[in-house]
């Protein structure tokens, strides 16, 4: 309770400071005539004129939207964040922000992350080139991809450490917002559970709400829960419910996939082997497709020789079953026993085979 009251006090003080005016003064690189900036809570890009001495400035009222990105390049490839909470200083040649405690702390973190960004962009370009050349299975691709993942991991770790080291600070909201895509969902939930002040900002509240919805969806597919039924069409057009398969088999594997999904196709040989090894022992597989084209869906079933039942409403990512179980990526799997209880979600490959073998021994 004491910690919560302290956080609320900080939020109140922070909110008050953002109602006041700010003055941002900056320095650009020699020859740069225009500096670009955008608010993290807005969609537009604005610009500032750079004077003959390489100086630029911005002033106004933050109005609870204090987090901005600034850059000398309109593409925002190498932008740095700043917090508009008083007298702020920005030096773009050295990627430095200062002037307030929040910006000094933000600067410490950005000094660790900024050097990694050009490396990651370079890896991305090289990986795309190799992919276009059909070299995704080569040692060169695998090595680059591993380096790419390592640098993303460094960024994620740096952001996590910053939030944990300064749970009272608001600048972390800008970091979490920018690098959310490289962080594991479990890490984000762990940070939220520690109740840092940054997640109470207007910038991150939508993320909090979305994760709250995800938690509700996870509860629907948690082991031990009764499965939620749905009814969709087979390739011949007949309507079939999931319950009709569950009640007639010892174990039902719902396999969420799509004909256009490369990882799904790569996983199919494992799923076929599972069917061959365990169908006679009481396993049924029900393929649920996220396709929109019936021809692509049925064509993939035929070309890959998928002998188990298939269902789809041809609504793509709006698939009813996908909405019910909160499927955000495919392939995904759901195991249901004869009593209609969910026994596992998200297993693939060897883990899935081991679980099925355990349940049907």
């Amino acid at each position: 309770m004491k910690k919560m009251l302290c956080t609320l006090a900080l939020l109140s003080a922070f909110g008050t400071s953002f109602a006041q005016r700010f003055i941002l003064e900056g320095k650009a690189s020699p020859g740069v005539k225009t500096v670009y900036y955008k608010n993290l809570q807005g969609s537009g890009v604005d610009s500032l004129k750079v004077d003959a001495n390489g100086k630029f400035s911005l002033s106004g009222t933050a109005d609870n939207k204090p987090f901005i990105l600034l850059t000398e390049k309109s593409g925002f490839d190498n932008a740095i964040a700043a917090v508009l909470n008083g007298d702020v200083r920005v030096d773009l040649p050295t990627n430095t922000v200062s002037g307030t405690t929040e910006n000094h702390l933000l600067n410490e973190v950005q000094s660790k992350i900024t050097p990694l960004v050009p490396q990651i962009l370079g890896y991305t370009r090289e990986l795309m080139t190799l992919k276009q050349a059909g070299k995704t299975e080569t040692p060169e691709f695998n090595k680059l991809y591993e380096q790419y993942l390592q640098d993303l991991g460094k960024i994620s770790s740096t952001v996590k450490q910053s939030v944990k080291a300064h749970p009272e600070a608001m600048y972390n909201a800008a970091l979490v917002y920018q690098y959310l895509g490289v962080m594991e969902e479990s890490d984000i939930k762990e940070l939220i559970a520690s109740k840092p002040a940054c997640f109470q900002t207007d910038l991150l509240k939508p993320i909090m709400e979305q994760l709250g919805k995800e938690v509700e969806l996870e509860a629907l597919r948690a082991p031990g829960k009764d499965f939620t039924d749905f009814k969709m069409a087979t390739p011949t057009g007949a309507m079939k419910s999931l319950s009709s398969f569950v009640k007639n088999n010892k174990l039902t594997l719902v396999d969420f996939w799509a004909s256009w999904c490369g990882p799904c196709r790569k996983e199919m040989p494992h799923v076929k082997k599972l069917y061959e090894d365990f169908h006679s022992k009481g396993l049924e597989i029900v393929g649920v497709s996220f396709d929109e084209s019936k021809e692509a869906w049925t064509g993939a079933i035929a070309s890959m020789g998928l002998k188990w039942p298939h269902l789809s409403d041809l609504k793509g990512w709006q698939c009813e079953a996908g909405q019910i179980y909160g499927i955000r990526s495919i392939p995904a799997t759901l195991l249901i026993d004869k009593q209609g209880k969910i026994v596992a979600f998200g297993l693939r490959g060897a883990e899935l085979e081991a679980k099925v073998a355990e349940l049907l021994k």
Side-chain angles (χ1 to χ4, degrees):
M1 179 61 72
K2 184 177 180 181
K3 183 183 288 187
M4 184 178 294
L5 291 173
C6 180
T7 300
L8 289 173
L10 285 163
L11 283 170
S12 176
F14 196 73
T16 301
S17 70
F18 281 161
Q20 298 172 356
R21 291 183 63 79
F22 67 87
I23 298 175
L24 182 151
E25 295 182 349
K27 176 184 176 182
S29 300
V32 172
K33 303 298 182 183
T34 304
V35 166
Y36 303 92
Y37 73 96
K38 60 182 177 182
N39 195 293
L40 290 180
Q41 288 166 262
S43 56
V45 174
D46 290 306
S47 63
L48 299 168
K49 294 293 183 182
V50 179
D51 66 22
N53 297 314
K55 306 290 185 180
F56 61 90
S57 64
L58 178 68
S59 61
T61 304
D63 293 329
N64 294 320
K65 295 181 179 181
F67 307 108
I68 67 167
L69 294 179
L70 299 106
T71 181
E72 295 175 344
K73 299 178 180 179
S74 58
F76 283 83
D77 285 349
N78 200 29
I80 60 170
V83 185
L84 304 177
N85 67 333
D87 293 329
V88 183
R89 303 288 180 267
V90 177
D91 188 298
L92 291 178
T94 61
N95 289 313
T96 303
V97 294
S98 59
T100 68
T101 300
E102 291 278 343
N103 280 296
H104 279 293
L105 292 171
L106 175 59
N107 190 66
E108 288 183 19
V109 185
Q110 290 192 126
S111 67
K112 299 173 184 177
I113 292 177
T114 301
L116 296 171
V117 174
Q119 292 176 200
I120 290 171
L121 292 174
Y123 292 145
T124 302
R125 285 190 289 268
E126 291 181 64
L127 288 168
M128 286 302 297
T129 299
L130 290 171
K131 183 178 180 181
Q132 290 168 359
K135 298 181 178 180
T136 56
E137 302 298 327
T138 63
E140 182 184 6
F141 183 94
N142 292 335
K143 182 179 179 180
L144 278 172
Y145 188 62
E146 184 60 33
Q147 292 171 328
Y148 168 78
L149 291 179
Q150 286 179 2
D151 280 354
L152 290 183
K154 289 177 184 177
I155 290 178
S156 176
S157 178
T158 301
V159 174
K160 284 168 56 182
Q161 289 172 7
S162 178
V163 176
K164 290 181 178 180
H166 299 284
E168 79 291 346
M170 300 296 172
Y171 74 88
N172 284 311
L175 294 173
V176 172
Y177 185 86
Q178 288 183 88
Y179 301 111
L180 189 70
V182 307
M183 300 177 71
E184 294 289 340
E185 187 174 310
S186 59
D187 290 333
I188 298 167
K189 289 178 179 177
E190 178 187 339
L191 290 177
I192 291 174
S194 67
K195 301 188 184 305
C198 64
F199 282 101
Q200 297 303 317
T201 61
D202 289 347
L203 180 63
L204 295 188
K205 279 181 181 176
I207 295 171
M208 291 278 286
E209 293 171 359
Q210 181 60 38
L211 286 174
K213 293 177 183 176
E214 291 292 334
V215 169
E216 293 176 5
L217 289 170
E218 286 177 6
L220 290 175
R221 62 194 190 211
K225 292 283 187 179
D226 291 328
F227 83 102
T228 302
D229 201 10
F230 57 82
K231 182 182 287 188
M232 290 193 293
T234 67
T236 62
M239 297 300 292
K240 294 281 288 186
S241 65
L242 177 59
S243 56
S244 66
F245 300 104
V246 170
K247 67 183 180 182
N248 291 324
N249 296 280
K250 292 180 180 179
L251 191 64
T252 302
L253 170 65
V254 184
D255 182 32
F256 298 95
W257 72 294
S259 66
W260 44 259
C261 169
C264 300
R265 285 179 171 267
K266 190 174 182 179
E267 188 74 10
M268 278 307 174
H270 302 293
V271 181
K272 290 177 70 174
K273 185 176 185 305
L274 202 66
Y275 186 78
E276 292 166 3
D277 291 346
F278 294 98
H279 180 59
S280 62
K281 298 179 181 179
L283 172 71
E284 184 60 279
I285 298 176
V286 178
V288 175
S289 170
F290 280 50
D291 276 287
E292 294 182 352
S293 163
K294 184 173 182 179
E295 290 74 19
W297 173 41
T298 56
I301 292 171
S303 66
M304 289 190 287
L306 310 183
K307 300 178 180 179
W308 49 87
H310 292 273
L311 302 174
S312 182
D313 54 15
L314 299 178
K315 293 182 180 179
W317 284 106
Q318 299 306 310
C319 166
E320 179 189 353
Q323 297 295 307
I324 288 173
Y325 288 103
I327 307 301
R328 298 290 179 264
S329 64
I330 51 176
T333 59
L334 184 73
L335 274 174
I336 306 169
D337 67 18
K338 190 174 180 64
Q339 288 69 46
K341 299 290 184 182
I342 295 173
V343 292
F345 174 80
L347 299 182
R348 291 168 58 182
E351 285 187 324
L352 177 59
E353 183 177 353
K355 189 65 176 179
V356 171
E358 172 194 331
L359 296 168
L360 294 178
K361 61 184 178 182

